[in-house]
């Protein structure tokens, strides 16, 4: 039975542009898709025919062969590449001119496809045109994994073991997803090459993950079920460098999802989430802390202990220090990820605490102090 014209199937002119072909296919695919017409064999056959027509006419090389010979197959494309033309002079058979064809290589003894095979493709339909493309080597996907750290762990660094759920290349099919065998209609998409996905109230079509959008596939590997990879749970030793912040990414090469057909695996990316601290605040590589001091320490000056991310340190408070004044401790901040070996600074803000009146003697001392130091800090505001 003669094949129906692909242009007629899609309802387009022979000089239609690629955009017109795509638009016509989408319109017909929505109309005849098996999910839209469940149980309707005629619609299913029409959908397959529409997909076949689009597969050929949307590919410039396949379309050229189809326009030249009136149908398409891989062997026919090979013949056209060797110089075969329809309806010419020379060694013509059934209206095709094979004057440029290498007849020696077309015989069984030449090791290539036989001339009989080519004509079987021309007039009885080729099984090869129904074969899905063979999978290509593909690097494994990366994995992102969150990791919570304390403030101290982020400053000091950490080495820990993490349980990672990843995958590795299937040992049975070596990542191909199948081990050969006959080609059949993809059971996942029912030959359409697309699957429906729901997003809220909307439904949209995506390329079928099992057949790669061809609508056809070989019998899947029994071990990996056509995925090309198998699940693997692995304990991975991870070193978190000193100085990470919330959102820092630590890369562990080769510990992502498995690759296919010998391609390398992806990487594991640790995304850090750092907790807060009771006293310290971090901004970039600098550390900020507020420390209380007494009135005598602020007025007379003193040497006090202050906390740092590495322990205690001595800070000199000069006389007449005001509340809110800041002092810098160089190289006492967080380690720098961008400049290994360098550190930020720590800034200490002092807050003067009001003394507690615990006795009459204390009150008398404060009264005498007030008489001896008759200053008004509100004078600059015009107040008494």
């Amino acid at each position: 039975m003669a094949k129906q014209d692909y242009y007629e199937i899609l309802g387009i002119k022979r000089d239609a542009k690629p955009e017109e072909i795509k638009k016509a296919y989408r319109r017909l695919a929505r109309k005849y898709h098996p999910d839209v017409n469940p149980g309707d064999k005629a619609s299913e056959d029409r959908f397959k025919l529409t997909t076949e027509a689009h597969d050929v006419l949307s590919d410039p090389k396949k379309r050229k062969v189809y326009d030249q010979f009136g149908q398409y197959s891989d062997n026919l494309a090979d013949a056209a590449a060797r110089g075969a033309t329809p309806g010419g002079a020379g060694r013509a058979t059934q209206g095709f001119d094979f004057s440029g064809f290498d007849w020696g290589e077309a015989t069984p003894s030449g090791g290539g496809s036989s001339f009989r095979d080519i004509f079987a493709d021309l007039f009885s339909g080729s099984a090869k045109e129904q074969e899905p493309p063979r999978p290509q080597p593909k690097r494994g996907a990366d994995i992102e994994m969150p990791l919570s750290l304390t403030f101290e762990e982020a400053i000091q660094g950490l080495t820990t073991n993490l349980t990672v759920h990843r995958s590795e290349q299937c040992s049975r099919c070596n990542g191909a997803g199948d081990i050969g065998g006959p080609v059949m209609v993809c059971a996942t998409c029912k030959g359409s090459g697309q699957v429906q996905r729901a997003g809220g109230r909307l439904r949209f079509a995506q390329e079928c993950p099992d057949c790669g959008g061809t609508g056809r596939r070989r019998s899947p590997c029994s071990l990996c079920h056509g995925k090309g990879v198998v699940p693997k749970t692995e304990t991975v030793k991870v070193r978190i460098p000193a100085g990470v912040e919330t959102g820092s990414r630590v890369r562990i090469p080769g510990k992502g999802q498995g690759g296919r057909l010998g391609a390398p695996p992806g990487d594991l990316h640790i995304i850090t989430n750092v907790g807060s601290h009771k006293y310290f605040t971090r901004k970039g590589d600098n550390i900020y802390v507020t420390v209380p001091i007494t009135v005598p320490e602020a007025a007379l000056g003193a040497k006090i202990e202050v906390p740092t991310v590495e322990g205690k340190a001595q800070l000199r408070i000069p006389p007449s220090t005001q509340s809110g004044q800041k002092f810098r401790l160089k190289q006492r901040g967080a380690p720098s990820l961008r400049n290994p070996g360098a550190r930020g600074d720590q800034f200490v803000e002092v807050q003067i605490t009001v003394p507690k009146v615990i006795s009459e003697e204390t009150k008398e001392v404060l009264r005498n102090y007030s008489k001896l130091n008759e200053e008004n800090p509100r004078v600059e505001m015009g107040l008494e």
Side-chain angles (χ1 to χ4, degrees):
M1 182 177 179
K3 284 192 173 184
Q4 189 175 346
D5 185 273
Y6 285 161
Y7 290 97
E8 292 180 1
I9 292 172
L10 296 180
I12 57 177
K13 297 180 180 179
R14 303 192 74 82
D15 59 351
K17 296 180 179 180
E19 300 82 33
E20 296 175 301
I21 296 173
K22 187 176 183 180
K23 184 177 180 180
Y25 170 70
R26 286 183 172 179
R27 175 177 55 82
L28 293 173
R30 285 194 296 265
K31 181 178 180 181
Y32 294 110
H33 196 283
D35 288 348
V36 180
N37 305 277
D40 189 338
K41 187 65 169 60
S43 293
E44 183 178 344
D45 292 341
R46 179 72 179 184
F47 180 82
K48 292 179 180 179
L49 203 57
T50 301
T51 302
E52 181 181 329
H54 174 261
D55 180 60
V56 172
L57 298 185
S58 63
D59 186 314
K61 293 182 179 179
K62 291 181 180 180
R63 183 179 181 183
K64 183 178 180 181
V65 173
Y66 180 81
D67 288 344
Q68 188 175 5
F69 295 102
Q71 59 180 308
Y72 176 83
S73 72
D74 289 342
N75 281 346
L76 186 55
D78 292 339
R82 295 174 184 271
T85 58
R91 290 190 179 112
T93 307
Q94 295 291 339
F96 293 93
D97 176 18
F98 290 90
S99 57
F101 189 72
D102 189 343
W103 291 79
E105 291 188 5
T107 62
S109 61
S113 300
S114 70
F115 189 63
R116 181 181 301 171
D117 292 338
I118 295 174
F119 271 83
D121 292 340
L122 289 176
F123 300 109
S124 63
S126 170
K128 286 187 177 181
E129 67 176 345
Q130 299 298 323
E131 292 187 5
R134 298 300 296 162
Q136 299 298 316
K138 184 178 180 181
R139 178 184 179 274
D142 291 342
I143 297 176
E144 291 188 351
M145 188 173 181
L147 178 64
S148 296
L149 301 173
T150 65
F151 190 92
E152 292 82 0
E153 289 172 337
I155 295 295
Q156 299 168 7
L158 175 72
T159 299
T160 186
N161 292 324
L162 299 178
T163 300
V164 181
H165 301 288
R166 49 186 300 267
S167 62
E168 62 181 2
Q169 179 176 284
C170 177
S171 59
R172 179 179 174 85
C173 65
N174 295 320
D178 64 68
I179 52 175
V183 177
M184 59 185 68
V185 174
C186 176
T188 303
C189 65
K190 300 182 177 63
S192 68
Q194 295 181 326
V195 291
Q196 297 292 321
R197 291 286 184 264
R201 296 184 178 181
L202 301 178
R203 291 178 63 84
F204 53 93
Q206 288 183 333
E207 180 183 275
C208 177
D210 290 338
C211 67
T214 64
R216 299 173 296 275
R217 66 179 301 186
R218 291 177 175 83
S219 180
C221 169
S222 60
L223 181 59
C224 66
H225 306 290
K227 304 298 182 183
V229 293
V230 291
K232 179 180 181 180
T233 299
E234 183 176 353
T235 299
V236 179
K237 189 175 184 179
V238 176
R239 188 184 72 83
I240 304 298
V244 295
E245 301 179 73
T246 293
S248 294
R249 299 172 68 91
V250 180
R251 173 175 166 266
I252 295 87
K255 294 302 180 180
Q257 303 292 5
R260 300 186 62 175
L261 294 172
D267 299 330
L268 172 64
H269 294 269
I270 304 299
I271 314 299
T272 57
N273 181 32
V274 181
S276 59
H277 193 274
K278 185 177 181 180
Y279 304 119
F280 298 119
T281 301
R282 179 176 177 177
K283 295 180 181 179
D285 293 335
N286 294 328
I287 301 294
Y288 296 81
V289 64
T290 300
V291 175
I293 60 174
T294 66
V295 171
E297 288 172 337
L300 303 176
K303 260 191 175 181
I304 65 171
E305 277 191 345
V306 294
T308 73
V309 293
E310 291 189 316
K312 298 176 182 179
Q314 292 288 322
L315 176 65
R316 190 181 71 84
I317 305 296
S320 301
T321 293
Q322 301 298 310
S323 190
Q325 195 167 334
K326 293 181 180 178
F327 301 90
R328 183 173 70 168
L329 299 176
K330 293 183 178 180
Q331 297 290 307
R332 291 300 189 108
S336 175
L337 287 177
R338 293 171 291 277
N339 188 11
R343 299 183 73 100
D345 299 328
Q346 177 168 314
F347 292 87
V348 180
E349 179 181 341
V350 295
Q351 292 289 341
I352 301 174
T353 59
V354 178
K356 295 180 180 180
V357 179
I358 58 176
S359 66
E360 287 297 324
E361 185 179 4
T362 303
K363 289 182 181 180
E364 188 63 29
V365 170
L366 291 174
R367 291 190 189 101
N368 292 333
Y369 171 82
S370 178
K371 291 176 183 179
L372 295 172
N373 296 271
E374 295 182 354
E375 62 176 343
N376 183 1
R378 297 175 294 280
V379 169
E380 293 182 358
M381 302 176 66
L383 302 173
E384 294 184 1

